[in-house]
Amino acid sequence: MVRGWVHAVVRGGNWRFSDPEGVAQETLLALVKLAGSGRIREPGGFQKLVYTVAKNTCVDVYHRERRRDSREVAEEFPDERPGGEEPGEELSQRERLDRLVQIFQRLPEACRQLWDWVYREGCSAAEVANRLSITAGNVRVRVHRCLEKAREIHRELESWPVAADDRK
């Protein structure tokens, strides 16, 4: 019965996974871990829980596959520069990278660690949740809050006056 609910979500959407059975297995594993943690309290809401975990797992796998596909394209065309061929565009890319480094350095350590796992290592919300012993939904909320902090820092940096020496 539970397997049928999971397959309804995995195969029912327009996900087009390379391995839909693997996604179903990952969902079932997440459900077993969740059941073992004692967090399931309402027996009547179990079907809703299964659908939610299946949907969240599908989203995680979709993003993971998309990141993998974009890396493969970048490896296939290593000579292509994303900033274009114009020198001014390259400088603009460098300035953006400097700004991102400044923002990243001003983020709290917890945000930097979380982003390192999610963006550099490519961990799914479920994998990060296992590391932090929290739910995948909580991981998504934390990533979103860290993104909001980064936006605040960016707005703060943009409002700083520019010195005459920096305006060349």
Side-chain angles (χ1 to χ4, degrees):
M1 179 165 71
V2 173
R3 183 178 285 278
W5 293 341
V6 170
H7 281 286
V9 174
V10 172
R11 297 181 192 273
N14 291 327
W15 298 106
R16 296 188 186 118
F17 294 118
S18 59
D19 180 20
E21 186 58 35
V23 177
Q25 292 298 323
E26 190 174 329
T27 302
L28 291 171
L29 182 62
L31 285 166
V32 168
K33 287 180 182 177
L34 189 61
S37 70
R39 294 182 185 170
I40 300 174
R41 291 192 175 85
E42 294 182 34
F46 184 68
Q47 183 177 4
K48 182 179 178 183
L49 174 72
V50 170
Y51 280 111
T52 301
V53 170
K55 185 185 75 167
N56 289 340
T57 303
C58 286
V59 170
D60 289 343
V61 171
Y62 172 79
H63 287 295
R64 197 176 334 139
E65 286 184 358
R66 225 171 91 191
R67 279 194 300 267
R68 185 192 70 226
D69 291 344
S70 66
R71 284 186 208 130
E72 288 172 359
V73 168
E75 290 170 2
E76 189 174 331
F77 301 104
D79 295 336
E80 296 292 321
R81 294 192 316 179
E85 298 297 326
E86 296 296 319
E89 289 182 33
E90 184 177 310
L91 180 63
S92 175
Q93 290 282 37
R94 195 173 312 132
E95 289 172 349
R96 276 190 246 161
L97 182 60
D98 289 342
R99 179 58 57 98
L100 285 173
V101 168
Q102 288 176 347
I103 292 169
F104 189 76
Q105 289 173 345
R106 293 174 189 268
L107 283 172
E109 178 60 32
C111 287
R112 289 195 304 254
Q113 181 63 57
L114 184 64
W115 280 13
D116 186 50
W117 288 335
V118 172
Y119 297 116
R120 191 179 62 80
E121 293 181 20
C123 295
S124 68
E127 292 167 336
V128 175
N130 286 337
R131 290 181 183 185
L132 298 175
S133 300
I134 59 176
T135 64
N138 198 335
V139 169
R140 289 183 192 91
V141 169
R142 288 184 184 191
V143 169
H144 176 73
R145 287 181 180 160
C146 289
L147 181 60
E148 288 300 316
K149 288 177 186 175
R151 287 180 179 142
E152 285 177 29
I153 293 168
H154 177 66
R155 284 190 292 271
E156 202 176 282
L157 290 173
E158 281 186 335
S159 68
W160 286 5
V162 178
D165 295 340
D166 294 341
R167 293 188 197 167
K168 296 178 185 176

